[in-house]
Amino acid sequence: MLNNDEITSFSPGSGRRVAPRSQLSSDAPRRDLSGTWRFHFATRPDLAPADACRVDFDDSGWDEIPVPSHWVLQGRPEWGRPIYTNIDYPFPVDPPFVPDENPTGDYRVEFTVDDAFLTGGARAHLRFGGVESLCIATMNGTPVGVVRGSRLAQELDVTDELVVGSNVLHLRVHQWSSNTYLEDQDQWWLPGVFREVELLSRPGAGIDDVWLRADFDPETGHGTLVPEIRAGAEAFPVTVAVEELGVSTTFATPSQVAPVPMGEVEPWSADVPRLYEAVVSNAAETITVRTGFRRVEVVGHEWRVNGVKLRLRGVNRHEYHPDLGRVFDREAAREGLLLMKRHNINAIRTAHYPPHPELLALADELGFWVIDECDYETHGFEAGGWVDNPSDDPRWRETLLDRVERFFERDKNHPCVVAWSLGNEAHTGANTAAMAAWLHRRDPGRPVHYEPDFDGRYSDVVSRMYASPEELRFLSEGLGNNKLGAPGRAAALAERPMILCEYAHAMGNGSAQLDVYEELFDTLPQWHGGFVWEWRDHGLRTHTDDGREFFAYGGDFGEEIHDGNFVTDGMVLSDGTPSPMLAEFAAVCSPIKLVVDDLGLVIENRRHDGDTSDLRFVVVDEVAGELVARHEISVDPIWPDGAEDLDIPDPPAGVDGEVWRTARAELAADTDWAPAGHVVAFHQVRISAPPAAGARVAEREADEPTDRDGVLVLGRARLDARTGDLVELGGHPVSGPRLELWRPPTDNDRLGTSSAFVTTDRNTNNLVDHGGPTHADGWRAAGLDRLQRRVLAVEVGEDSIRVRHRYAAAAGRDAVVVELLWRSIEGELVLAADAQPTRGWPGGWPRIGLHLVLPPGVEDVEWFGTGPNENYPDSRRAAVVGRFLSRVPDLTIDYARPQESGHRGDLRWLELPGIGLRIAADEVAGARPGFTLRRHDVREVTAADHPHELPEPTATHLYLDAAQRGIGTLLSDPDVRPEHELRPRAAQWSLRFSAAPERA
């Protein structure tokens, strides 16, 4: 085996390769070779057994491994560990060479076939679904081919080697090869045979390949099936039939194959995924294709399906399982797609390679628009100025054309695929232009996408990553900017469809401001939506030495270089838990838009297909968080692009308390993806508010404080006479409140390096200015994480205690003075607090809050405010005002790296029954504080790299924030919008502490 030559070859593959073709459902014999194989691991190729391909080789001393799997996920450290890098290659950039230390796995399996598998002139094909990264195959001791392209299907003809009875298949798999340079795709490097290996019997007069282009004419409602049948003349006659439509056409010869009129059909779309079963058959074979009739076209700046402009509410999706890596689990994948449907996601970009073919079959069935992406990315060349980049290196041309052909041919029959993408972050050049040209010739009906083609030289859709809202507007106006593309191209590009192939980086507690983008997608004519980066965190399930489970990210496996937790950047956590951002996406991006107030209800249907007859519309009224009325509104079906303005019952009047009205669009009946009652869209509005509580407090008589041996007693409270701090409240130990300006940095706070609105005024020529310090670094430089306090005064009055504190950092002159005025009125402890910063504070703050330390073990909480999920100034469309119950641990999210979490704004009151405490928050200048309640303080959270590293709780920490900075999405730009930035500012609180009422 000439491994070294094969490892460094520019060839797309060699040996008895079969022309690429569709993944088809055929009645011809097929053997899935998945199961337990014999396995030998070597740290480098020259240590692999030289004669392991021999039939009589004794492999009894080898280990066993499941196929499909990744050998680095088998719990055998001596077989290597996973490696995560985002951009950098984990070895020197020296194409086509790779390190001598190249982990190598030898696989052997023995299987049998019977006479039926090879009779009648049948040929045997060995089909590989996915092997990372180089596979050398031997059947019964004879080399049959070299397979390259880790996530691409490839078949080898093994007819001459296969025998009736026992057969031995040997595979030698190298982790690194020349083709690794083409697969630098921001994911774990996971070697091995990770998709199925199958043995196919191909009938002698069978049908080699079928492509059924199912066209739909939106003007007539008629469909046409345009068959492409690859078969020899001896395979004819061939019949194409769609029984449901009563159509059956037989072609006697290849030259007779022609379009087949289908008459009136129901079109396929992501909203109404109508599939028909087509059968293509001859005397030797029957093939079944599930097809959907739709027409994809680009008309000016509109990308249309069935004559209607596409609206993409999408996500980028990697293949991932926390235990299996990229091994496909159909049920888990289906559950993931159902979760997408329940959160109003209608589109998937297959980042950054073709997925397992079953994923596309599920997308056909459940309904998703799909941009299918080729297995290609070379991001690691960017640091070297793209020198030797394969996109423009003629040595790679044949391989790249082979890759685009194989990915297209496998997936061409899927109606869900509405565009082909050449790959991701591989710059541009003659080879990517040739890939696009091949696709344009082969399939003129679907557009070609490639984001690095900034000038639009060979792609059909203008695509951008992480563009700011300003850039969206400029591109739509044909103005552009100086970051991307050649001068003067912007006006021409404005005549094309536009998408954000990546936006709203969902890492940790982020991303926010989805509503800003949604409005632009809805109003700017060129924009068709985008794909959030990304769907799910990729943490790998791991355990500490003492058995505690956690989800590992880059660096947790001792990698030489890595990109940390950048691999955990999804709207779903590694364990499958939806993050609050997913709820925010569902609320913002619903295709059903509702607006309700005291006068009526407006319903708008922005679906691509389908009226609203599957929905029921409900309006509920709540007073002080309690339900007082529920109205089901009768609505005639509203068709896409239609709207209705409806009269609804009046809300309650003359009640004591806030009145909130909420309209909901709910599923009227069970569907494949959600049960009846599932909320598709909602809108809430406050109808009336009660009088301010402060005025009522001022009218009542206050208690007199007393000093008892250094402890000030004021009603239910005990305060330290020296510091003015609480030491006891309602018989329970309590300390504080102390000023808090720090929050545990979010991933956006910690890793973002773009300039921010707090320091930069952006304009059309400077939309992105990378290279500045992170926000967390700026906050540390200002000392926000190490404020020291000095007591200025503790003054005891006739009916109050006035406390003044000064907070500043060591070596700093900037300070905040906090004044606390305590009063006890009819058993209620009342706090009026003010914070005043000195002049000169630089930059911004993450929060301005008061921190109270409560006893440990507080388990339950009830509140009246926003919920149920955490929410922030720029991420609160999923929040409603109401009454909520929770356990304290459930208030925060176990992000892969601990960080700011759990804030809920607009607090009215909070009750902690475990310690009998109720805290009411009154409006001050039209605003109420938010709260965060968690078992660790901000410094403990900041210090931990993983959730399991948080110490055993010793207290319960309550933060009452007058303001929090927004969340933003600064990891990849843009930053928090100016209106949600928190500049140094004064703050006020009006709080009332009392005994929590007894609960039944």
Side-chain angles (χ1 to χ4, degrees):
M1 299 178 113
L2 300 177
N3 288 353
N4 289 333
D5 290 342
E6 296 291 3
I7 289 170
T8 59
S9 172
F10 290 98
S11 166
S14 59
R16 299 174 187 176
R17 303 172 74 218
V18 177
R21 62 197 189 93
S22 298
Q23 184 98 355
L24 296 170
S25 176
S26 168
D27 65 352
R30 173 188 301 251
R31 282 283 307 276
D32 186 351
L33 300 181
S34 299
T36 301
W37 293 32
R38 307 296 287 179
F39 180 73
H40 177 276
F41 175 80
T43 56
R44 60 179 192 263
D46 62 298
L47 297 180
D51 53 355
C53 62
R54 287 195 348 250
V55 173
D56 59 353
F57 179 84
D58 181 8
D59 60 16
S60 60
W62 284 16
D63 294 293
E64 293 183 337
I65 194 170
V67 171
S69 72
H70 302 280
W71 70 63
V72 295
L73 297 183
Q74 302 309 305
R76 300 282 298 271
E78 67 272 23
W79 291 357
R81 312 285 299 276
I83 300 170
Y84 168 63
T85 60
N86 170 28
I87 297 173
D88 294 324
Y89 292 101
F91 50 72
V93 181
D94 183 25
F97 303 105
V98 296
D100 294 339
E101 299 296 319
N102 185 1
T104 299
D106 280 270
Y107 295 77
R108 282 173 58 96
V109 67
E110 185 174 352
F111 61 93
T112 61
V113 296
D114 56 24
D115 291 337
F117 210 83
L118 293 174
T119 57
R123 302 200 66 77
H125 290 179
L126 189 64
R127 185 180 181 97
F128 296 90
V131 185
E132 184 175 326
S133 73
L134 170 67
C135 174
I136 302 171
T138 304
M139 179 71 78
N140 291 329
T142 301
V144 292
V146 177
V147 176
R148 297 185 176 90
S150 296
R151 284 152 283 279
L152 297 167
Q154 182 145 282
E155 293 180 24
L156 302 174
D157 190 326
V158 295
T159 309
D160 294 343
E161 289 72 38
L162 197 68
V163 298
V164 174
S166 178
N167 294 266
V168 174
L169 173 63
H170 170 259
L171 307 178
R172 175 157 293 174
V173 178
H174 301 288
Q175 177 163 10
W176 310 124
S177 70
S178 58
N179 272 239
T180 305
Y181 286 102
L182 309 180
E183 298 170 2
D184 184 24
Q185 292 152 325
D186 185 11
Q187 59 180 334
W188 293 101
W189 299 95
L190 300 174
V193 183
F194 66 91
R195 288 181 183 162
E196 297 82 0
V197 179
E198 298 173 291
L199 188 66
L200 313 180
S201 175
R202 300 300 310 132
I207 301 168
D208 293 330
D209 197 14
V210 170
W211 181 13
L212 298 181
R213 282 175 279 188
D215 183 52
F216 175 75
D217 186 340
E219 296 295 326
T220 65
H222 285 208
T224 303
L225 208 58
V226 184
E228 178 183 285
I229 299 171
R230 195 173 83 205
E234 69 280 4
F236 285 79
V238 173
T239 299
V240 176
V242 180
E243 182 179 355
E244 185 177 353
L245 296 174
V247 175
S248 179
T249 301
T250 299
F251 304 110
T253 65
S255 63
Q256 291 183 6
V257 176
V260 182
M262 291 284 147
E264 190 170 332
V265 298
E266 299 175 53
W268 186 96
S269 71
D271 290 327
V272 184
R274 180 65 162 91
L275 293 172
Y276 292 87
E277 185 173 282
V279 176
V280 182
S281 61
N282 68 357
E285 183 175 16
T286 298
I287 292 170
T288 303
V289 179
R290 298 176 77 198
T291 192
F293 292 90
R294 85 283 183 276
R295 177 178 295 176
V296 183
E297 56 189 341
V298 172
V299 181
H301 57 61
E302 286 195 355
W303 180 7
R304 299 176 183 173
V305 175
N306 301 334
V308 178
K309 179 183 174 181
L310 270 183
R311 182 63 166 80
L312 303 170
R313 300 174 173 91
V315 292
N316 286 272
R317 180 193 179 276
H318 268 293
E319 298 272 76
Y320 160 81
H321 188 283
D323 303 305
L324 306 176
R326 280 188 289 279
V327 175
F328 187 73
D329 182 321
R330 190 182 192 281
E331 288 310 308
R334 181 182 176 85
E335 284 303 313
L337 295 185
L338 295 178
L339 187 61
M340 290 183 192
K341 295 288 284 189
R342 291 194 289 271
H343 288 84
N344 295 323
I345 292 167
N346 73 352
I348 297 168
R349 176 178 174 230
T350 69
H352 296 295
Y353 41 82
H356 191 284
E358 275 293 301
L359 190 280
L360 297 179
L362 288 170
D364 291 339
E365 172 192 327
L366 296 173
F368 291 92
W369 310 116
V370 174
I371 295 182
D372 197 4
E373 195 148 271
C374 188
D375 189 11
Y376 181 48
E377 180 172 342
T378 63
H379 207 166
F381 283 86
E382 183 178 26
W386 299 107
V387 172
D388 293 327
N389 182 39
S391 291
D392 204 34
D393 184 334
R395 295 176 297 175
W396 294 101
R397 180 183 176 91
E398 182 184 355
T399 288
L400 291 180
L401 286 174
D402 175 81
R403 284 183 173 238
V404 79
E405 180 181 4
R406 281 197 278 150
F407 115 94
F408 168 84
E409 297 294 353
R410 193 200 72 171
D411 296 344
K412 58 183 178 281
N413 277 297
H414 290 284
C416 65
V417 176
V418 292
W420 306 106
S421 180
L422 304 182
N424 183 69
E425 293 176 322
H427 204 44
T428 186
N431 293 339
T432 46
M435 294 165 73
W438 188 94
L439 283 169
H440 282 132
R441 286 192 301 271
R442 186 75 177 97
D443 183 16
R446 283 177 275 200
V448 171
H449 166 272
Y450 188 56
E451 184 265 349
D453 180 26
F454 299 138
D455 291 339
R457 297 180 188 274
Y458 47 83
S459 57
D460 303 305
V461 176
V462 176
S463 181
R464 291 291 185 268
M465 293 183 180
Y466 310 108
S468 69
E470 288 84 359
E471 187 177 351
L472 268 65
R473 294 189 186 96
F474 300 146
L475 287 169
S476 184
E477 294 168 4
L479 300 176
N481 63 83
N482 64 1
K483 179 191 173 217
L484 304 173
R489 285 290 293 163
L493 295 179
E495 301 300 318
R496 299 188 186 183
M498 298 178 177
I499 65 168
L500 291 179
C501 65
E502 295 179 21
Y503 82 114
H505 200 282
M507 189 172 177
N509 189 349
S511 165
Q513 59 209 31
L514 291 170
D515 52 342
V516 177
Y517 286 96
E518 183 75 0
E519 181 181 359
L520 295 175
F521 293 153
D522 281 342
T523 56
L524 298 178
Q526 295 91 341
W527 287 96
H528 291 64
F531 297 83
V532 169
W533 186 267
E534 64 168 310
W535 170 238
R536 187 167 174 173
D537 286 0
H538 299 178
L540 294 174
R541 196 187 312 272
T542 312
H543 293 84
T544 62
D545 291 340
D546 59 0
R548 287 177 294 168
E549 180 183 281
F550 71 101
F551 292 90
Y553 51 72
D556 288 335
F557 297 103
E559 299 100 309
E560 183 178 348
I561 62 169
H562 62 85
D563 285 293
N565 65 320
F566 213 74
V567 76
T568 54
D569 48 10
M571 292 196 290
V572 177
L573 305 186
S574 297
D575 65 357
T577 301
S579 77
M581 185 188 168
L582 188 58
E584 183 75 2
F585 184 97
V588 170
C589 298
S590 174
I592 304 298
K593 305 298 182 184
L594 304 177
V595 178
V596 69
D597 56 25
D598 57 339
L599 301 177
L601 171 64
V602 177
I603 305 170
E604 185 177 354
N605 181 3
R606 296 185 185 175
R607 291 170 165 172
H608 189 278
D609 276 316
D611 62 27
T612 59
S613 58
D614 61 325
L615 303 174
R616 63 172 176 248
F617 296 91
V618 176
V619 174
V620 297
D621 293 319
E622 295 173 308
V623 176
E626 298 283 358
L627 180 67
V628 296
R630 180 184 185 279
H631 313 283
E632 191 162 331
I633 310 302
S634 177
V635 183
D636 291 333
I638 304 170
W639 290 94
D641 285 334
E644 289 288 341
D645 190 345
L646 304 165
D647 293 328
I648 56 177
D650 292 336
V655 296
D656 184 18
E658 285 185 81
V659 179
W660 287 87
R661 167 161 279 191
T662 307
R664 296 195 297 264
E666 304 173 350
L667 287 179
D670 293 346
T671 69
D672 290 340
W673 50 272
H678 169 77
V679 177
V680 174
F682 70 89
H683 178 244
Q684 186 186 57
V685 64
R686 187 167 74 173
I687 301 298
S688 64
R696 297 196 301 271
V697 170
E699 297 168 357
R700 296 185 289 171
E701 187 172 333
D703 298 335
E704 181 180 353
T706 59
D707 188 337
R708 300 179 184 174
D709 298 326
V711 176
L712 302 177
V713 179
L714 184 63
R716 306 177 72 246
R718 305 289 186 271
L719 295 89
D720 185 290
R722 182 184 65 84
T723 64
D725 288 341
L726 284 170
V727 295
E728 184 180 298
L729 187 58
H732 294 278
V734 175
S735 66
R738 293 184 67 130
L739 178 71
E740 188 59 77
L741 300 181
W742 180 258
R743 76 182 183 196
T746 66
D747 288 316
N748 286 332
D749 298 337
R750 183 187 293 113
L751 298 178
T753 56
S754 302
S755 60
F757 282 112
V758 74
T759 58
T760 301
D761 290 323
R762 300 189 180 192
N763 55 55
T764 58
N765 293 316
N766 185 27
L767 290 174
V768 180
D769 180 16
H770 293 279
T774 71
H775 286 298
D777 288 343
W779 298 336
R780 285 191 177 93
L784 303 188
D785 59 337
R786 51 186 175 83
L787 295 178
Q788 300 181 24
R789 187 183 72 172
R790 180 165 63 89
V791 178
L792 300 179
V794 178
E795 301 170 351
V796 181
E798 291 184 1
D799 63 354
S800 65
I801 299 173
R802 186 179 301 274
V803 180
R804 296 180 69 240
H805 296 152
R806 182 181 189 273
Y807 294 83
R813 292 179 176 270
D814 302 314
V816 179
V817 174
V818 176
E819 184 168 308
L820 309 171
L821 179 64
W822 293 99
R823 304 176 77 201
S824 177
I825 303 174
E826 299 178 6
E828 194 171 53
L829 184 67
V830 180
L831 172 62
D834 294 275
Q836 300 292 339
T838 58
R839 295 179 58 191
W841 277 94
W845 292 344
R847 74 170 354 133
I848 179 166
L850 298 177
H851 177 200
L852 286 163
V853 182
L854 308 177
V858 176
E859 289 294 330
D860 300 309
V861 58
E862 182 175 3
W863 75 97
F864 179 26
T866 58
N869 295 321
E870 66 184 24
N871 53 84
Y872 292 82
D874 53 357
S875 179
R876 54 180 298 162
R877 287 281 292 275
V880 294
V881 173
R883 293 178 64 163
F884 303 97
L885 289 164
S886 176
R887 294 178 62 252
V888 171
D890 296 335
L891 291 173
T892 51
I893 304 299
D894 280 338
Y895 294 111
R897 183 168 184 172
Q899 56 195 272
E900 166 61 35
S901 175
H903 177 80
R904 288 159 173 85
D906 291 334
L907 180 66
R908 274 76 174 162
W909 53 256
L910 176 77
E911 292 180 1
L912 303 172
I915 57 174
L917 179 62
R918 187 180 198 271
I919 304 173
D922 299 321
E923 280 193 17
V924 180
R928 285 188 170 90
F931 82 95
T932 303
L933 187 66
R934 63 190 307 170
R935 291 181 168 177
H936 298 91
D937 69 22
V938 293
R939 281 148 195 86
E940 291 173 322
V941 177
T942 301
D945 287 330
H946 301 83
H948 71 272
E949 295 171 0
L950 291 166
E952 191 68 25
T954 59
T956 305
H957 299 272
L958 174 63
Y959 296 88
L960 296 164
D961 293 324
Q964 268 246 18
R965 182 180 186 269
I967 294 299
T969 177
L970 186 56
L971 277 170
S972 300
D973 204 70
D975 192 22
V976 170
R977 308 298 298 169
E979 61 270 26
H980 301 305
E981 188 58 78
L982 177 56
R983 296 177 181 274
R985 48 158 280 192
Q988 298 84 39
W989 296 258
S990 179
L991 306 172
R992 293 176 285 123
F993 301 81
S994 60
E998 294 291 333
R999 298 293 181 190

